[in-house]
Amino acid sequence: MKIVNLSFFIAFVLMISIGCGKDEPVHHVIVGEWTMTETHCNDGVILHDVLGQEEIQTFSYHGTEYNATTTFTENPNQFFSSGYYKYEYTTTYLGDTETTILQSDAILGTGQWSIEDDTLFQTQAGNMKEFVILELNESKMRLRLDLNTTEGGLPTTGTVFLNFEKN
């Protein structure tokens, strides 16, 4: 019985040790210049109030051209972004579907960043965005942004995925 208890204890300690190591992102890995290589959202929803009736608009987008970089520095933890990306945007509203190519500026300018657990926080001009870190290593960063906003006056939700490669 003592051997079984000892085995469970060792297995428990190993699981905690391995788990803790995985959950702690390496802060210094993010330092440097990153180029956006992909972005997409497949589940976007915008709610409209049309004469008291709620109407749903769905959207998706997929990046088509990337010329955007973000540089992360340490001490102080700042980021600098520049450039743009183009994307194919498809929306369906009131039964009509429309697809167009749009261009968006990257999050231009300077802000502060921090990492806690598996979340990258970026603050710029008083606005904070929280990105779930899906992968972060010496050459690749994959992030997820869970949209839940009323920017532009309309409730908007969706899941945005962003990929970057280190220069």
Side-chain angles (χ1 to χ4, degrees), residues 81-108:
S81 295
S82 63
Y84 67 89
Y85 61 95
K86 291 183 180 181
Y87 57 98
E88 184 178 272
Y89 181 77
T90 301
T91 183
T92 301
Y93 182 59
L94 299 175
D96 293 327
T97 299
E98 184 177 310
T99 299
T100 187
I101 300 291
L102 299 173
Q103 180 173 313
S104 179
D105 291 331
I107 304 171
L108 298 176

PDB file of all heavy atoms in Angstrom, residues 81-108:
ATOM      1  N   SER A  81       4.597  49.209 -33.524  1.00  0.00           N
ATOM      2  CA  SER A  81       4.001  48.535 -34.680  1.00  0.00           C
ATOM      3  C   SER A  81       3.908  49.486 -35.853  1.00  0.00           C
ATOM      4  O   SER A  81       3.715  50.686 -35.683  1.00  0.00           O
ATOM      5  CB  SER A  81       2.594  48.027 -34.329  1.00  0.00           C
ATOM      6  OG  SER A  81       2.668  47.035 -33.343  1.00  0.00           O
ATOM      7  N   SER A  82       4.029  48.897 -37.043  1.00  0.00           N
ATOM      8  CA  SER A  82       3.890  49.692 -38.256  1.00  0.00           C
ATOM      9  C   SER A  82       3.450  48.784 -39.391  1.00  0.00           C
ATOM     10  O   SER A  82       3.526  47.565 -39.302  1.00  0.00           O
ATOM     11  CB  SER A  82       5.216  50.378 -38.606  1.00  0.00           C
ATOM     12  OG  SER A  82       6.208  49.408 -38.877  1.00  0.00           O
ATOM     13  N   GLY A  83       2.986  49.408 -40.469  1.00  0.00           N
ATOM     14  CA  GLY A  83       2.613  48.667 -41.657  1.00  0.00           C
ATOM     15  C   GLY A  83       1.116  48.444 -41.779  1.00  0.00           C
ATOM     16  O   GLY A  83       0.311  49.095 -41.117  1.00  0.00           O
ATOM     17  N   TYR A  84       0.765  47.496 -42.642  1.00  0.00           N
ATOM     18  CA  TYR A  84      -0.634  47.212 -42.947  1.00  0.00           C
ATOM     19  C   TYR A  84      -0.768  45.747 -43.338  1.00  0.00           C
ATOM     20  O   TYR A  84       0.216  45.042 -43.555  1.00  0.00           O
ATOM     21  CB  TYR A  84      -1.125  48.089 -44.097  1.00  0.00           C
ATOM     22  CG  TYR A  84      -0.467  47.754 -45.413  1.00  0.00           C
ATOM     23  CD1 TYR A  84      -1.013  46.797 -46.270  1.00  0.00           C
ATOM     24  CD2 TYR A  84       0.737  48.352 -45.783  1.00  0.00           C
ATOM     25  CE1 TYR A  84      -0.396  46.455 -47.460  1.00  0.00           C
ATOM     26  CE2 TYR A  84       1.361  48.013 -46.974  1.00  0.00           C
ATOM     27  CZ  TYR A  84       0.801  47.068 -47.799  1.00  0.00           C
ATOM     28  OH  TYR A  84       1.415  46.724 -48.968  1.00  0.00           O
ATOM     29  N   TYR A  85      -2.004  45.322 -43.453  1.00  0.00           N
ATOM     30  CA  TYR A  85      -2.302  44.024 -44.052  1.00  0.00           C
ATOM     31  C   TYR A  85      -3.610  44.154 -44.816  1.00  0.00           C
ATOM     32  O   TYR A  85      -4.449  44.986 -44.499  1.00  0.00           O
ATOM     33  CB  TYR A  85      -2.354  42.888 -43.018  1.00  0.00           C
ATOM     34  CG  TYR A  85      -3.401  43.042 -41.941  1.00  0.00           C
ATOM     35  CD1 TYR A  85      -4.651  42.449 -42.071  1.00  0.00           C
ATOM     36  CD2 TYR A  85      -3.148  43.781 -40.784  1.00  0.00           C
ATOM     37  CE1 TYR A  85      -5.622  42.586 -41.094  1.00  0.00           C
ATOM     38  CE2 TYR A  85      -4.108  43.924 -39.804  1.00  0.00           C
ATOM     39  CZ  TYR A  85      -5.335  43.324 -39.958  1.00  0.00           C
ATOM     40  OH  TYR A  85      -6.292  43.466 -38.986  1.00  0.00           O
ATOM     41  N   LYS A  86      -3.762  43.328 -45.847  1.00  0.00           N
ATOM     42  CA  LYS A  86      -4.999  43.284 -46.622  1.00  0.00           C
ATOM     43  C   LYS A  86      -5.694  41.974 -46.304  1.00  0.00           C
ATOM     44  O   LYS A  86      -5.043  40.975 -46.006  1.00  0.00           O
ATOM     45  CB  LYS A  86      -4.717  43.383 -48.122  1.00  0.00           C
ATOM     46  CG  LYS A  86      -4.210  44.752 -48.533  1.00  0.00           C
ATOM     47  CD  LYS A  86      -4.017  44.836 -50.030  1.00  0.00           C
ATOM     48  CE  LYS A  86      -3.512  46.227 -50.422  1.00  0.00           C
ATOM     49  NZ  LYS A  86      -3.342  46.339 -51.871  1.00  0.00           N
ATOM     50  N   TYR A  87      -7.024  42.006 -46.403  1.00  0.00           N
ATOM     51  CA  TYR A  87      -7.779  40.801 -46.088  1.00  0.00           C
ATOM     52  C   TYR A  87      -9.070  40.754 -46.891  1.00  0.00           C
ATOM     53  O   TYR A  87      -9.615  41.776 -47.289  1.00  0.00           O
ATOM     54  CB  TYR A  87      -8.070  40.708 -44.590  1.00  0.00           C
ATOM     55  CG  TYR A  87      -8.815  41.899 -44.015  1.00  0.00           C
ATOM     56  CD1 TYR A  87     -10.189  41.848 -43.824  1.00  0.00           C
ATOM     57  CD2 TYR A  87      -8.142  43.059 -43.661  1.00  0.00           C
ATOM     58  CE1 TYR A  87     -10.879  42.930 -43.289  1.00  0.00           C
ATOM     59  CE2 TYR A  87      -8.812  44.142 -43.118  1.00  0.00           C
ATOM     60  CZ  TYR A  87     -10.180  44.068 -42.944  1.00  0.00           C
ATOM     61  OH  TYR A  87     -10.854  45.143 -42.415  1.00  0.00           O
ATOM     62  N   GLU A  88      -9.503  39.515 -47.149  1.00  0.00           N
ATOM     63  CA  GLU A  88     -10.775  39.278 -47.815  1.00  0.00           C
ATOM     64  C   GLU A  88     -11.842  39.183 -46.733  1.00  0.00           C
ATOM     65  O   GLU A  88     -11.770  38.326 -45.858  1.00  0.00           O
ATOM     66  CB  GLU A  88     -10.710  37.985 -48.620  1.00  0.00           C
ATOM     67  CG  GLU A  88     -11.960  37.713 -49.409  1.00  0.00           C
ATOM     68  CD  GLU A  88     -11.831  36.442 -50.225  1.00  0.00           C
ATOM     69  OE1 GLU A  88     -11.345  36.528 -51.362  1.00  0.00           O
ATOM     70  OE2 GLU A  88     -12.199  35.387 -49.686  1.00  0.00           O
ATOM     71  N   TYR A  89     -12.811  40.092 -46.801  1.00  0.00           N
ATOM     72  CA  TYR A  89     -13.845  40.222 -45.773  1.00  0.00           C
ATOM     73  C   TYR A  89     -15.189  39.807 -46.373  1.00  0.00           C
ATOM     74  O   TYR A  89     -15.628  40.370 -47.371  1.00  0.00           O
ATOM     75  CB  TYR A  89     -13.889  41.684 -45.305  1.00  0.00           C
ATOM     76  CG  TYR A  89     -14.898  41.987 -44.230  1.00  0.00           C
ATOM     77  CD1 TYR A  89     -14.658  41.643 -42.905  1.00  0.00           C
ATOM     78  CD2 TYR A  89     -16.092  42.653 -44.526  1.00  0.00           C
ATOM     79  CE1 TYR A  89     -15.569  41.952 -41.910  1.00  0.00           C
ATOM     80  CE2 TYR A  89     -17.015  42.965 -43.538  1.00  0.00           C
ATOM     81  CZ  TYR A  89     -16.740  42.602 -42.236  1.00  0.00           C
ATOM     82  OH  TYR A  89     -17.643  42.901 -41.247  1.00  0.00           O
ATOM     83  N   THR A  90     -15.821  38.812 -45.759  1.00  0.00           N
ATOM     84  CA  THR A  90     -17.128  38.333 -46.210  1.00  0.00           C
ATOM     85  C   THR A  90     -18.139  38.559 -45.103  1.00  0.00           C
ATOM     86  O   THR A  90     -17.905  38.181 -43.948  1.00  0.00           O
ATOM     87  CB  THR A  90     -17.074  36.837 -46.569  1.00  0.00           C
ATOM     88  OG1 THR A  90     -16.098  36.654 -47.601  1.00  0.00           O
ATOM     89  CG2 THR A  90     -18.425  36.340 -47.064  1.00  0.00           C
ATOM     90  N   THR A  91     -19.254  39.180 -45.457  1.00  0.00           N
ATOM     91  CA  THR A  91     -20.291  39.464 -44.478  1.00  0.00           C
ATOM     92  C   THR A  91     -21.657  39.059 -45.036  1.00  0.00           C
ATOM     93  O   THR A  91     -21.891  39.152 -46.243  1.00  0.00           O
ATOM     94  CB  THR A  91     -20.287  40.956 -44.072  1.00  0.00           C
ATOM     95  OG1 THR A  91     -21.272  41.179 -43.066  1.00  0.00           O
ATOM     96  CG2 THR A  91     -20.538  41.870 -45.239  1.00  0.00           C
ATOM     97  N   THR A  92     -22.503  38.598 -44.145  1.00  0.00           N
ATOM     98  CA  THR A  92     -23.884  38.272 -44.514  1.00  0.00           C
ATOM     99  C   THR A  92     -24.807  39.035 -43.573  1.00  0.00           C
ATOM    100  O   THR A  92     -24.693  38.918 -42.347  1.00  0.00           O
ATOM    101  CB  THR A  92     -24.149  36.756 -44.411  1.00  0.00           C
ATOM    102  OG1 THR A  92     -23.243  36.077 -45.278  1.00  0.00           O
ATOM    103  CG2 THR A  92     -25.579  36.424 -44.808  1.00  0.00           C
ATOM    104  N   TYR A  93     -25.716  39.817 -44.178  1.00  0.00           N
ATOM    105  CA  TYR A  93     -26.635  40.634 -43.388  1.00  0.00           C
ATOM    106  C   TYR A  93     -27.959  40.726 -44.136  1.00  0.00           C
ATOM    107  O   TYR A  93     -27.990  41.052 -45.326  1.00  0.00           O
ATOM    108  CB  TYR A  93     -26.034  42.021 -43.161  1.00  0.00           C
ATOM    109  CG  TYR A  93     -26.883  42.938 -42.321  1.00  0.00           C
ATOM    110  CD1 TYR A  93     -27.250  42.595 -41.020  1.00  0.00           C
ATOM    111  CD2 TYR A  93     -27.320  44.157 -42.812  1.00  0.00           C
ATOM    112  CE1 TYR A  93     -28.017  43.436 -40.244  1.00  0.00           C
ATOM    113  CE2 TYR A  93     -28.089  45.016 -42.036  1.00  0.00           C
ATOM    114  CZ  TYR A  93     -28.437  44.643 -40.757  1.00  0.00           C
ATOM    115  OH  TYR A  93     -29.198  45.481 -39.979  1.00  0.00           O
ATOM    116  N   LEU A  94     -29.040  40.412 -43.434  1.00  0.00           N
ATOM    117  CA  LEU A  94     -30.382  40.436 -44.009  1.00  0.00           C
ATOM    118  C   LEU A  94     -30.464  39.612 -45.298  1.00  0.00           C
ATOM    119  O   LEU A  94     -31.098  40.012 -46.270  1.00  0.00           O
ATOM    120  CB  LEU A  94     -30.848  41.876 -44.245  1.00  0.00           C
ATOM    121  CG  LEU A  94     -30.936  42.761 -42.998  1.00  0.00           C
ATOM    122  CD1 LEU A  94     -31.281  44.195 -43.393  1.00  0.00           C
ATOM    123  CD2 LEU A  94     -31.947  42.212 -42.006  1.00  0.00           C
ATOM    124  N   GLY A  95     -29.769  38.478 -45.297  1.00  0.00           N
ATOM    125  CA  GLY A  95     -29.830  37.564 -46.430  1.00  0.00           C
ATOM    126  C   GLY A  95     -28.877  37.856 -47.572  1.00  0.00           C
ATOM    127  O   GLY A  95     -28.782  37.075 -48.511  1.00  0.00           O
ATOM    128  N   ASP A  96     -28.183  38.976 -47.518  1.00  0.00           N
ATOM    129  CA  ASP A  96     -27.241  39.332 -48.581  1.00  0.00           C
ATOM    130  C   ASP A  96     -25.811  39.055 -48.133  1.00  0.00           C
ATOM    131  O   ASP A  96     -25.408  39.454 -47.043  1.00  0.00           O
ATOM    132  CB  ASP A  96     -27.358  40.822 -48.944  1.00  0.00           C
ATOM    133  CG  ASP A  96     -28.685  41.154 -49.602  1.00  0.00           C
ATOM    134  OD1 ASP A  96     -29.211  40.282 -50.325  1.00  0.00           O
ATOM    135  OD2 ASP A  96     -29.183  42.272 -49.383  1.00  0.00           O
ATOM    136  N   THR A  97     -25.049  38.389 -48.999  1.00  0.00           N
ATOM    137  CA  THR A  97     -23.639  38.111 -48.719  1.00  0.00           C
ATOM    138  C   THR A  97     -22.784  38.947 -49.658  1.00  0.00           C
ATOM    139  O   THR A  97     -23.065  39.042 -50.854  1.00  0.00           O
ATOM    140  CB  THR A  97     -23.323  36.613 -48.919  1.00  0.00           C
ATOM    141  OG1 THR A  97     -24.120  35.863 -48.001  1.00  0.00           O
ATOM    142  CG2 THR A  97     -21.857  36.318 -48.671  1.00  0.00           C
ATOM    143  N   GLU A  98     -21.754  39.556 -49.076  1.00  0.00           N
ATOM    144  CA  GLU A  98     -20.857  40.407 -49.837  1.00  0.00           C
ATOM    145  C   GLU A  98     -19.423  40.100 -49.436  1.00  0.00           C
ATOM    146  O   GLU A  98     -19.122  39.928 -48.254  1.00  0.00           O
ATOM    147  CB  GLU A  98     -21.176  41.875 -49.533  1.00  0.00           C
ATOM    148  CG  GLU A  98     -20.382  42.867 -50.341  1.00  0.00           C
ATOM    149  CD  GLU A  98     -20.810  44.298 -50.024  1.00  0.00           C
ATOM    150  OE1 GLU A  98     -22.018  44.580 -50.053  1.00  0.00           O
ATOM    151  OE2 GLU A  98     -19.907  45.108 -49.749  1.00  0.00           O
ATOM    152  N   THR A  99     -18.535  40.046 -50.421  1.00  0.00           N
ATOM    153  CA  THR A  99     -17.109  39.828 -50.163  1.00  0.00           C
ATOM    154  C   THR A  99     -16.324  40.960 -50.798  1.00  0.00           C
ATOM    155  O   THR A  99     -16.595  41.344 -51.942  1.00  0.00           O
ATOM    156  CB  THR A  99     -16.643  38.475 -50.747  1.00  0.00           C
ATOM    157  OG1 THR A  99     -17.376  37.433 -50.107  1.00  0.00           O
ATOM    158  CG2 THR A  99     -15.161  38.262 -50.505  1.00  0.00           C
ATOM    159  N   THR A 100     -15.374  41.488 -50.058  1.00  0.00           N
ATOM    160  CA  THR A 100     -14.551  42.574 -50.556  1.00  0.00           C
ATOM    161  C   THR A 100     -13.139  42.441 -49.991  1.00  0.00           C
ATOM    162  O   THR A 100     -12.942  41.779 -48.972  1.00  0.00           O
ATOM    163  CB  THR A 100     -15.165  43.945 -50.191  1.00  0.00           C
ATOM    164  OG1 THR A 100     -14.430  44.987 -50.826  1.00  0.00           O
ATOM    165  CG2 THR A 100     -15.187  44.174 -48.699  1.00  0.00           C
ATOM    166  N   ILE A 101     -12.182  43.066 -50.648  1.00  0.00           N
ATOM    167  CA  ILE A 101     -10.808  43.117 -50.147  1.00  0.00           C
ATOM    168  C   ILE A 101     -10.636  44.462 -49.442  1.00  0.00           C
ATOM    169  O   ILE A 101     -10.938  45.511 -50.019  1.00  0.00           O
ATOM    170  CB  ILE A 101      -9.773  42.985 -51.285  1.00  0.00           C
ATOM    171  CG1 ILE A 101      -9.936  41.664 -52.014  1.00  0.00           C
ATOM    172  CG2 ILE A 101      -8.353  43.148 -50.740  1.00  0.00           C
ATOM    173  CD1 ILE A 101      -9.551  40.437 -51.232  1.00  0.00           C
ATOM    174  N   LEU A 102     -10.177  44.417 -48.199  1.00  0.00           N
ATOM    175  CA  LEU A 102      -9.971  45.622 -47.403  1.00  0.00           C
ATOM    176  C   LEU A 102      -8.513  45.694 -46.949  1.00  0.00           C
ATOM    177  O   LEU A 102      -7.804  44.689 -46.946  1.00  0.00           O
ATOM    178  CB  LEU A 102     -10.888  45.618 -46.184  1.00  0.00           C
ATOM    179  CG  LEU A 102     -12.392  45.594 -46.460  1.00  0.00           C
ATOM    180  CD1 LEU A 102     -13.168  45.429 -45.168  1.00  0.00           C
ATOM    181  CD2 LEU A 102     -12.809  46.878 -47.177  1.00  0.00           C
ATOM    182  N   GLN A 103      -8.103  46.881 -46.533  1.00  0.00           N
ATOM    183  CA  GLN A 103      -6.764  47.074 -45.981  1.00  0.00           C
ATOM    184  C   GLN A 103      -6.896  47.664 -44.591  1.00  0.00           C
ATOM    185  O   GLN A 103      -7.725  48.536 -44.360  1.00  0.00           O
ATOM    186  CB  GLN A 103      -5.939  48.013 -46.861  1.00  0.00           C
ATOM    187  CG  GLN A 103      -4.537  48.251 -46.327  1.00  0.00           C
ATOM    188  CD  GLN A 103      -3.670  49.036 -47.291  1.00  0.00           C
ATOM    189  OE1 GLN A 103      -3.629  48.720 -48.470  1.00  0.00           O
ATOM    190  NE2 GLN A 103      -2.989  50.042 -46.779  1.00  0.00           N
ATOM    191  N   SER A 104      -6.085  47.181 -43.684  1.00  0.00           N
ATOM    192  CA  SER A 104      -6.108  47.673 -42.310  1.00  0.00           C
ATOM    193  C   SER A 104      -4.692  48.010 -41.876  1.00  0.00           C
ATOM    194  O   SER A 104      -3.750  47.276 -42.175  1.00  0.00           O
ATOM    195  CB  SER A 104      -6.685  46.610 -41.378  1.00  0.00           C
ATOM    196  OG  SER A 104      -6.694  47.081 -40.052  1.00  0.00           O
ATOM    197  N   ASP A 105      -4.564  49.118 -41.181  1.00  0.00           N
ATOM    198  CA  ASP A 105      -3.279  49.433 -40.575  1.00  0.00           C
ATOM    199  C   ASP A 105      -3.046  48.482 -39.420  1.00  0.00           C
ATOM    200  O   ASP A 105      -3.988  48.093 -38.723  1.00  0.00           O
ATOM    201  CB  ASP A 105      -3.267  50.874 -40.053  1.00  0.00           C
ATOM    202  CG  ASP A 105      -3.285  51.895 -41.185  1.00  0.00           C
ATOM    203  OD1 ASP A 105      -2.771  51.581 -42.276  1.00  0.00           O
ATOM    204  OD2 ASP A 105      -3.814  52.994 -40.969  1.00  0.00           O
ATOM    205  N   ALA A 106      -1.788  48.116 -39.230  1.00  0.00           N
ATOM    206  CA  ALA A 106      -1.434  47.346 -38.038  1.00  0.00           C
ATOM    207  C   ALA A 106      -1.697  48.252 -36.838  1.00  0.00           C
ATOM    208  O   ALA A 106      -1.961  49.444 -36.983  1.00  0.00           O
ATOM    209  CB  ALA A 106       0.036  46.936 -38.100  1.00  0.00           C
ATOM    210  N   ILE A 107      -1.656  47.706 -35.652  1.00  0.00           N
ATOM    211  CA  ILE A 107      -1.824  48.535 -34.456  1.00  0.00           C
ATOM    212  C   ILE A 107      -0.651  49.511 -34.442  1.00  0.00           C
ATOM    213  O   ILE A 107       0.422  49.204 -33.953  1.00  0.00           O
ATOM    214  CB  ILE A 107      -1.832  47.682 -33.175  1.00  0.00           C
ATOM    215  CG1 ILE A 107      -2.912  46.611 -33.262  1.00  0.00           C
ATOM    216  CG2 ILE A 107      -2.017  48.548 -31.948  1.00  0.00           C
ATOM    217  CD1 ILE A 107      -2.850  45.590 -32.152  1.00  0.00           C
ATOM    218  N   LEU A 108      -0.849  50.670 -35.084  1.00  0.00           N
ATOM    219  CA  LEU A 108       0.243  51.610 -35.276  1.00  0.00           C
ATOM    220  C   LEU A 108       0.650  52.278 -33.985  1.00  0.00           C
ATOM    221  O   LEU A 108      -0.173  52.542 -33.116  1.00  0.00           O
ATOM    222  CB  LEU A 108      -0.161  52.680 -36.295  1.00  0.00           C
ATOM    223  CG  LEU A 108      -0.465  52.179 -37.694  1.00  0.00           C
ATOM    224  CD1 LEU A 108      -0.939  53.326 -38.574  1.00  0.00           C
ATOM    225  CD2 LEU A 108       0.754  51.528 -38.308  1.00  0.00           C
TER     226      LEU A 108
END
